[in-house]
Amino acid sequence: MKAIVMVMLKPGVLDPQGKAIGHALQTLGFAGVGEVRAGKVIELELSESDPARARASAEEMARKLLANTVIEGFHVEIAS
Amino acid sequence: MKAIVMVMLKPGVLDPQGKAIGHALQTLGFAGVGEVRAGKVIELELSESDPARARASAEEMARKLLANTVIEGFHVEIAS
Amino acid sequence: MTKREVTPALAREFGLSAEEYGRVLAIMGRTPSFTELGIFSVMWSEHCSYKSSRVWLKQLPTAAPWVIHGPGENAGVVDIGDGLAAVFKMESHNHPSFIEPYQGAATGVGGILRDVFTMGARPVANLNALRFGHPDDPRTRRVVDGVVRGVGGYGNCVGVPTVGGEVNFHPAYSGNPLVNAMTVGIAPRDRIFLSAAAGVGNPVVYVGSKTGRDGIHGATMASAEFDAATEEKRPTVQVGDPYTEKLLIEACLELMATDAIVAIQDMGAAGLTSSSVEMAGKGSVGIELDLDQVPQREAEMTAYEMMLSESQERMLMVLRPDRQDVARAIFEKWELDFAVIGRLTDTGRIVVRHRGAVEADIALDPLAEQAPLYHRPTADTSKLPLLGEVADPAGLVPALLTLIGCPDLCSRAWVWNQYDSTIGGQTVQRPGGADAAVVRIEGSRRALALTTDCTPRYCAADPEAGGMQAVAEAWRNLSAVGARPLAITDNMNFGNPEKPEIMGQFAASIRGMAAACRALDFPVVSGNVSLYNETDGRGILPTPAIGGLGVLEDAGQCVGLALRPGLDLVLVGTASGWLGQSLWLREVAGREDGPPPPVDLAAERRNGDLVRELILAGRVRACHDVSDGGLLVTVAEMALGGDVGATLLDAPAGSVPHCFWFGEDQARYVLAVADADAILIAAESAGVPAQRLGRAEGTHLTLPGGVSISLAELRAAHERFFPAWMGS
Amino acid sequence: MKAGVVVFPGTNRERDIAIALQAASGRRPRMVWHGETELAGLDLVVLPGGFSHGDYLRCGAMAARSPVMGAIRDFAAAGGHVLGVCNGFQILAEAGLLPGALLRNASLRFLSQDCHLRVERADTAFTRHYQPGQVFRAPMAHGDGNYFADPATLDRMEGEGLVALRYASPEGAVVPEANPNGSARSIAGILSPNGRVMGLMPHPEDLVDPLMGGTDGLPLFAGMAEALAA
Ligand SMILES: Nc1ncnc2c1ncn2[C@@H]1O[C@H](COP(=O)(O)OP(=O)(O)O)[C@@H](O)[C@H]1O
Ligand SMILES: [Mg+2]
């Protein structure tokens, strides 16, 4: 079972990387791009076969290590 | 319309970051974690309202800027 | 990778000529296996065999009483006193840096670090010599950004200070940037580790990262047999892992403090193949490898792939059998892979087994001895006619502003500010502070002085003079901080050696370098050759990059280039006003023309010896050699360095002002001294021409005739280019 | 003063710190491996700079969760002094021993240059050899030194005097031009509420010898040596 953990800066935390990407996209001529946020994604191969338990475990990993909850929020998706 | 671009190293390309995260999760006592891959996620606010066109445009952004296609692949999701 | 039938056509795909493949057949006495063909092809590649350059490299002087190991080992080793040795080398990662600038540059730094710590030295300094296409070429920015980030990303993380280097721009490098990385390490002089294997039965041990399909033989990438499925598994760009390298450094140095290691060699180009073949070959023993034991990152790797993989951060060692457990414990502590993958034999052959089958079985002697060696035809390099008179179209101050702000002369702070230059706490002269970086040896007063130099536009106009000049400038930069120059490493970057004019450039550069090395007692102890630097049939400028190393007995005696108020300025050396190939001619007059400044090696030696003597006698407060841009640029750099102005005297009677101030005559230094008269007397008695130039004072650079420019304006011009160009 | 210097895999400024501690106290610090949990007998624990665990994922994230950190937490709770420099600061923040977090530099580039620091608190074991308001020079070398905390936390820290050092001009002006990495309120170094844990991004340990261009960093180590003399 695969868990995908997406970690993004919380709203309110300045995201210079997102801003720089937005700026670069504009320079490249892409129109209609509003806010850009940059984050991390971590794909985990889990031996767990129950989706709910896999999710719970990935969420605990995010809380304990993958995200710094002072500045980041996270979101878990489970794929099979 | 929101586009989410996930950028991951291509299979076969060394992912030192994923390796280190997997190792750390193990040390923290999480069992049953197999391969871990780390990547980037970029969330784009697009003014485009047609999902197909939004996807096409996000994919072009990925090819031109967001992903380094020599070593990275990408995947686009469209949310509204 | 699926095995394919070995045929002459496949051999050609692998880069072997028909004649070379004939030799393979003769050595083997049969058709080689797929893996064997792979081994021959990489061992006989230009990169591993130096088949086009070897005959010329032999002409370089390599000996001196202080040389402990010259070319032939992983890096050069020189005695620096106090029972210590400096271990150093420079290596190119040009092609990978164009494909993927960040990883190409990063793995270049990683590779050269391994060459140095594999000999038992703790790396103490990195330098990087970079050449890029014209800034107006849209590709250049991306390459510069990636390369600088990559050099910094790797060096900063492993914790080795990056203390110097050079950056040039020229359209000839547009499709072919040069990334030459140099590492310097320090080891006890009686604890140098070599790669010659010994002791039949001794275990062959693999340590470091796992093996993946990284960077396998470029030639096979073009194979028609690739389909969509194999495309995914395609040989990939090598990705560096500086964290693992840092652990590898610590683990290796910890093991080297024991008596466990018989021989050690990093796995660089052609990975396991070249390391095992070279270790066994040098030790005149045989070697057996069991590839099932090789730590693997990917499933289903074939023998061919494992033998040719260029995965980073790996080393091969031969250990004393009774110390195997000690070694394993150290590598496990550092969380690195450790695997016994073979043993030494008395057969004189390399035998590779995988999954119960013998995948390769080759006699080592002929593999080495019958490697191709080419005396490729050389064309004479033509010399350009002397420049006639060139009128001054601009005036001194505007020309100075143009020069000091041009990409080849402007401040490189944007570059070096991304490199950790102080880590280790031993950096006495940081980038920009002096002509050479100075790094103290921890726990002593002794210090190393380090520099990289080459002026490719001189080399293009006259490769022999250019090769000579590059060595002379490195020697001069070391002398200018007060160091005793000891030896050089070189990185020969050239175009396609199959073209006689390119081979002619190569041969002439070597001639010039050899002459300078001999005259200056400055032997070559290590180096690297990078050929085929061409895109669409256009070669780069011939670029024999020189890395120089010198020693200071007391780091406190070195000087930087910053002026201080109240000092007199003195020029050492002769100003003939040589404008051929000068930056003034290119940037101000818009011409790239004429022969480069001639190098008078006797004058170099005499002038440099005097300058060093004066510095060590404590009679010089600041010193800067005169190079790109000429005298006025030199003085301006010293003024900016110390944030103090200067008032300059008239150019000597009979000289043309713009020639005097912007000519690029060699063998010159500007000294800032408290007592100019005494210095002039010392120079006269040494038979060295010297003259008073002016005085450091105020907030402006004031030229003869009273025209002046503020330091603030000069600084703005000097510091504008990089941040503006790179957008921060 | 008995000092311990913690070494994580990837730590790379432990020698620099050891040299500075020895210069100030005349005593060699003890090197503490990240797997150790015994800190008894130490007066000071220093977490040096580097790239612990490669700084993969986030700077200091993995080191903050290693065994030695439990011991350091207890050591600090029992009143021990802890100094985190650069990566050490990042680790202390990740471990929650200091508030806030260190984000990518605003320029998105690694920055290796000298900066000037204004001393905001001179009454701590770390800063006692500086004068309040004094400005000193220090090298810095980091990619993630952009200090962040939410406004309420920042206000509380200011109110409690937990800001130890700020980036400033050589004359002592705290202005945006002198803030190299975008740190909130130009914060370069902070204290725990009891003043016994300090984190800072720059490297005073690399400026403790006239040969290296100055001794501006020495008072930090001399101050600790005096305050913590056993
Ligand atoms: N790529 C680089 N990395 C680090 N330092 C560099 C780099 N390029 C130039 N420098 C530094 O910038 C200064 C000026 O370089 P350069 O003009 O080539 O010096 P010189 O002409 O005296 O040899 C030197 O201190 C040099 O080490
Ligand atoms: Mg110079």
Side-chain angles (χ1 to χ4, degrees), chain C residues 131 168 453-460 466 469-470 473 628 664:
Chain C
R131 326 272 165 194
N168 286 159
D453 292 282
C454 181
T455 311
R457 62 178 191 282
Y458 293 173
C459 300
Q469 193 276 339
E473 184 170 348
D628 274 346
E664 296 185 3

Side-chain angles (χ1 to χ4, degrees), chain C residues 434-436 451 453 473 476-477 480 561 624-627 637:
Chain C
D435 279 320
T451 180
D453 292 282
E473 184 170 348
R476 203 186 307 146
N477 279 329
L561 55 73
H624 192 12
D625 83 312
V626 183
S627 55
E637 287 173 349

Side-chain angles (χ1 to χ4, degrees), chain C residues 346-433:
Chain C
D346 59 2
T347 62
R349 305 180 74 83
I350 176 167
V351 178
V352 179
R353 290 196 176 77
H354 186 220
R355 298 186 169 161
V358 171
E359 293 283 350
D361 182 351
I362 305 173
L364 287 164
D365 276 353
L367 177 59
E369 280 156 19
Q370 293 179 43
L373 181 64
Y374 296 125
H375 296 257
R376 297 200 187 273
T378 58
D380 279 345
T381 50
S382 55
K383 293 210 183 346
L384 294 163
L386 285 178
L387 274 186
E389 258 174 48
V390 185
D392 177 7
L396 297 184
V397 167
L400 174 62
L401 278 173
T402 301
L403 281 172
I404 204 137
C406 80
D408 273 338
L409 273 183
C410 68
S411 166
R412 273 90 179 95
W414 180 90
V415 176
W416 76 61
N417 280 350
Q418 298 184 57
Y419 301 158
D420 190 340
S421 56
T422 57
I423 185 164
Q426 309 299 327
T427 308
V428 180
Q429 293 291 353
R430 303 185 200 172

Side-chain angles (χ1 to χ4, degrees), chain D residues 8-115:
Chain D
F8 300 94
T11 294
N12 62 23
R13 261 189 167 83
E14 72 276 19
R15 300 152 75 86
D16 309 40
I17 284 283
I19 290 168
L21 286 169
Q22 182 157 18
S25 71
R27 261 174 113 149
R28 235 174 215 296
R30 180 181 131 203
M31 292 292 163
V32 179
W33 185 238
H34 67 119
E36 288 181 40
T37 51
E38 183 54 65
L39 301 175
L42 295 178
D43 306 305
L44 170 73
V45 170
V46 184
L47 289 81
F51 288 70
S52 54
H53 297 275
D55 273 354
Y56 296 133
L57 187 62
R58 285 183 316 278
C59 299
M62 297 179 204
R65 286 146 184 91
S66 54
V68 75
M69 289 310 294
I72 290 175
R73 209 181 293 277
D74 296 344
F75 177 81
H81 284 79
V82 180
L83 175 68
V85 180
C86 197
N87 197 224
F89 183 13
Q90 293 163 339
I91 295 168
L92 290 174
E94 275 281 341
L97 281 163
L98 287 172
L102 292 140
L103 306 174
R104 288 284 296 281
N105 292 344
S107 66
L108 301 175
R109 288 187 191 280
F110 191 93
L111 278 179
S112 165
Q113 60 188 55
D114 280 354
C115 62

Side-chain angles (χ1 to χ4, degrees), chain B residues 18-73:
Chain B
K19 199 175 93 183
I21 294 171
H23 184 78
L25 287 172
Q26 214 164 30
T27 316
L28 286 176
F30 289 101
V33 181
E35 211 196 344
V36 178
R37 305 280 294 171
K40 286 179 292 209
V41 49
I42 298 114
E43 281 189 16
L44 306 152
E45 207 54 71
L46 300 180
S47 62
E48 178 61 62
S49 58
D50 174 67
R53 275 207 299 267
R55 169 180 301 279
S57 139
E59 281 176 353
E60 205 192 327
M61 293 177 200
R63 263 190 307 273
K64 284 220 176 132
L65 179 75
L66 306 178
N68 173 357
T69 51
V70 179
I71 49 174
E72 295 170 329

